Amino acid sequence: MRIRGTACAAAGLTLVVAIGCTGGDDEAAPAPKKTSASTRPPTTTPAPSPSRKPVNPVSLPALMEKKHRGSGLRLGTVLARTGAYTGYRVTYESNGLTISGLMNIPRGKGPFPALVLAHGYIDPAVYTTGRGLAREQDLLARNGYVVLHTDYRNHAASDDDPDSDINLRLGYTEDVIGAALALRDSGRPEIDGDRLGLLGRSMGGGVVYNTLVVAPGLFDAAVAFAPVSSRPDENIDHFQRSENDPLVAEIDARYGTPEDNPVFWREVSPRTYVDRVTEPLLIHHGTADDTCPIVWSEQMAAALSAAGKRVELRKYQGEGHTFYPRWTASMDATMDFFSRHLR
């Protein structure tokens, strides 16, 4: 089930307002600083829940209604040549912004299924193209997937979005949706636009949740590694409020606290809209993760299961946030999952 064309009636709100979750080869996470064609017909997506008041533009219902565009995928400098794939710098257009990234294209006869990768938090001041999921980029391309790792806006060579932080970084999920649409629009013979998967780690796992609830049918399957909470207010408390991040006061002043404005905080939580999810989801989480507690994944998995959705939570005893000891096992399960749903 898919959404077609350059216009997509969905975009996600990043779960993490200013989180410090990272994974893989991401940097340690300081508190974020303020920064300035297809042959099938479109799939009808569920309508946003009705509201008696005008929808807050920073809300999941607003993003469900928004028309999103992704196009103009361009290959640039070659970053790597291996016996299995060639890696390129790339750019694409997402809702009027140019977004940079990295793309690995397998050698051999395509078209190949494609995966969009959403990395965890890395300070944009030190972030470089493709950073954060290098292990996954390499392994997945070696196993026959086109891999497009988005840099997100405000990162690397991407355009700036000065309102990203105060807008709860919803633009990151717009950029993931734009990446999927750009892959489909590219016309490149190596890319099978009818087989798309999504993988996100840590903060990127939050992007996965948002994409699934606001853009059901855009991807065929999704994987989240050590994801953040599906409640943005919980992420703020865990990563920012406890560190006295000054951005929290601005967020409170603009939107109110959960006690002051519970409707707003319900409408920015993907857990509120799990009934919209159509894709199978695999979640990996370590029991010893002291960055993103495993209870967050347990709660989201329970909500999805209660709604009758296809979700699997794999727990790794003693594994921390970075998934080094059990990474190979987790990726074997990931590739088996994608093989079943994308092949």
Side-chain angles (χ1 to χ4, degrees):
M1 187 164 62
R2 290 177 175 78
I3 297 168
R4 299 303 185 198
T6 58
C8 173
L13 167 66
T14 302
L15 286 172
V16 190
V17 177
I19 65 170
C21 276
T22 64
D25 60 348
D26 296 358
E27 292 293 313
K33 298 178 181 179
K34 291 167 60 178
T35 63
S36 15
S38 172
T39 58
R40 294 192 205 173
T43 297
T44 301
T45 60
S49 301
S51 175
R52 295 180 180 178
K53 297 180 179 179
V55 174
N56 190 313
V58 181
S59 71
L60 291 172
L63 294 168
M64 293 168 192
E65 295 172 356
K66 189 173 184 178
K67 299 295 183 180
H68 287 264
R69 298 184 181 277
S71 61
L73 181 65
R74 296 178 177 84
L75 275 60
T77 306
V78 172
L79 296 174
R81 292 188 190 275
T82 75
Y85 64 85
T86 303
Y88 302 86
R89 293 183 186 274
V90 297
T91 58
Y92 63 93
E93 304 304 311
S94 176
N95 289 351
L97 296 181
T98 297
I99 305 300
S100 64
L102 172 153
M103 189 162 77
N104 291 340
I105 300 178
R107 295 187 182 275
K109 182 176 176 58
F112 303 101
L115 304 175
V116 176
L117 270 55
H119 65 80
Y121 177 78
I122 303 173
D123 187 345
V126 302
Y127 179 89
T128 53
T129 289
R131 189 169 176 176
L133 289 167
R135 300 176 298 175
E136 291 81 357
Q137 295 161 13
D138 176 77
L139 181 63
L140 292 166
R142 290 182 184 277
N143 281 271
Y145 294 94
V146 171
V147 177
L148 174 54
H149 180 287
T150 180
D151 290 334
Y152 306 136
R153 60 193 63 194
N154 295 336
H155 290 69
S158 298
D159 285 347
D160 290 336
D161 175 4
D163 297 324
S164 179
D165 285 347
I166 196 63
N167 286 348
L168 309 190
R169 294 183 179 170
L170 60 87
Y172 291 179
T173 306
E174 291 188 64
D175 298 336
V176 165
I177 290 172
L181 296 175
L183 284 167
R184 291 208 175 115
D185 181 69
S186 71
R188 297 194 62 87
E190 309 96 328
I191 300 170
D192 186 343
D194 287 329
R195 295 185 291 167
L196 292 184
L198 174 61
L199 184 150
R201 181 180 290 278
S202 195
M203 181 183 72
V207 175
V208 167
Y209 287 164
N210 286 314
T211 301
L212 296 184
V213 302
V214 302
L218 181 59
F219 291 94
D220 295 293
V223 176
F225 274 86
V228 295
S229 175
S230 54
R231 288 178 45 190
D233 59 303
E234 196 163 48
N235 290 314
I236 291 172
D237 288 344
H238 186 74
F239 295 110
Q240 292 179 268
R241 201 177 298 276
S242 62
E243 298 296 326
N244 297 315
D245 186 341
L247 182 61
V248 174
E250 294 186 40
I251 292 169
D252 287 347
R254 178 166 296 195
Y255 307 118
T257 66
E259 294 74 25
D260 297 333
N261 191 0
V263 171
F264 172 82
W265 292 101
R266 283 197 300 270
E267 291 186 346
V268 295
S269 170
R271 204 185 303 176
T272 304
Y273 303 100
V274 292
D275 61 306
R276 291 174 54 86
V277 175
T278 59
E279 297 78 14
L281 171 65
L282 173 61
I283 305 173
H284 300 287
H285 216 126
T287 62
D289 191 333
D290 58 2
T291 302
C292 293
I294 193 172
V295 66
W296 290 349
S297 287
E298 292 170 338
Q299 290 167 344
M300 187 57 166
L304 286 161
S305 181
K309 306 306 176 179
R310 293 170 292 171
V311 59
E312 178 184 358
L313 172 58
R314 285 181 173 249
K315 302 180 184 181
Y316 297 82
Q317 190 64 38
E319 180 62 86
H321 192 61
T322 55
F323 266 81
Y324 283 112
R326 302 294 303 281
W327 182 77
T328 298
S330 69
M331 288 305 296
D332 285 345
T334 294
M335 288 187 291
D336 178 68
F337 177 79
F338 280 137
S339 179
R340 286 185 280 118
H341 296 291
L342 273 66
R343 300 284 183 172

